[in-house]
Amino acid sequence: DVRLHHIFQGIGTRCLYLLKERIENAIRLEFTPYVVYVQKLARLMNKSKQENGGRMTTDDLVRFYMRAEFEEREQENSFVKDQQTLDMLLQLFESRSLILLIDGIDEAASLKTTVEDYITQTLVPAGHQVIVTSRPEGVRLRLYKSFVIMNL
């Protein structure tokens, strides 16, 4: 049983190269990578709050993100283009077979605490494989005790 929890702190090509290397290793371990762009997640969360009287309708941010990507499937940057892809991703998520790349935790603005708490209090304890990227000053390091921290 391999657990993969990393934070990559840095900006630029070296960060992306090391990230690519970690994902390739995860694929060899039979995981499927899925990227959650935190800036997009924050936008979707804010939109959901506006539509629902100032509150989120879910606390499961990965499922929320996947379903929102499906709803926005006509947009070029949406990975979830059809119902079969959404169903597959949800099944992989349930079976802990995704490696979740949570990109740009520092870009969540006012929702950063919510996103970080979700990662450290929900995803990791539930056994999900997680890689988080951030600028060095963008995370509360004390929350990530079980993570390998790589400063780039």
Side-chain angles (χ1 to χ4, degrees):
D1 188 28
V2 177
R3 292 284 171 234
L4 184 63
H5 303 117
H6 286 75
I7 292 181
F8 286 88
Q9 294 183 321
I11 304 169
T13 306
R14 178 149 171 73
C15 183
L16 293 175
Y17 173 78
L18 289 172
L19 201 52
K20 177 182 173 283
E21 185 179 279
R22 293 292 176 175
I23 290 173
E24 286 171 352
N25 288 338
I27 290 170
R28 278 186 230 122
L29 296 171
E30 299 181 13
F31 290 102
T32 301
Y34 183 73
V35 181
V36 175
Y37 295 101
V38 174
Q39 191 174 48
K40 182 177 181 178
L41 174 63
R43 178 182 58 79
L44 293 167
M45 290 170 68
N46 283 326
K47 180 181 173 186
S48 177
K49 282 182 172 183
Q50 287 176 348
E51 293 170 353
N52 294 292
R55 44 185 284 277
M56 279 289 293
T57 56
T58 181
D59 56 359
D60 190 334
L61 299 182
V62 172
R63 284 187 193 88
F64 167 78
Y65 185 84
M66 288 176 181
R67 288 186 176 110
E69 274 214 316
F70 176 67
E71 290 172 14
E72 294 186 345
R73 64 188 166 275
E74 301 304 320
Q75 295 183 13
E76 196 171 308
N77 65 346
S78 176
F79 176 74
V80 184
K81 297 290 187 188
D82 54 52
Q83 185 66 49
Q84 292 82 7
T85 302
L86 176 62
D87 293 343
M88 177 200 66
L89 287 169
L90 291 169
Q91 184 176 3
L92 288 168
F93 181 69
E94 288 298 320
S95 66
R96 311 302 190 262
S97 296
L98 286 179
I99 179 165
L100 298 165
L101 168 55
I102 302 177
D103 184 41
I105 193 75
D106 56 304
E107 297 175 13
S110 63
L111 298 169
K112 187 177 85 153
T113 300
T114 301
V115 175
E116 280 189 307
D117 289 346
Y118 174 72
I119 292 166
T120 59
Q121 296 172 16
T122 303
L123 290 178
V124 172
H128 292 282
Q129 307 301 311
V130 180
I131 296 176
V132 176
T133 66
S134 175
R135 289 183 177 89
E137 66 280 358
V139 292
R140 298 175 292 166
L141 287 177
R142 63 183 165 71
L143 297 177
Y144 298 93
K145 292 180 177 157
S146 66
F147 282 64
V148 173
I149 311 258
M150 301 181 79
N151 290 308
L152 307 175

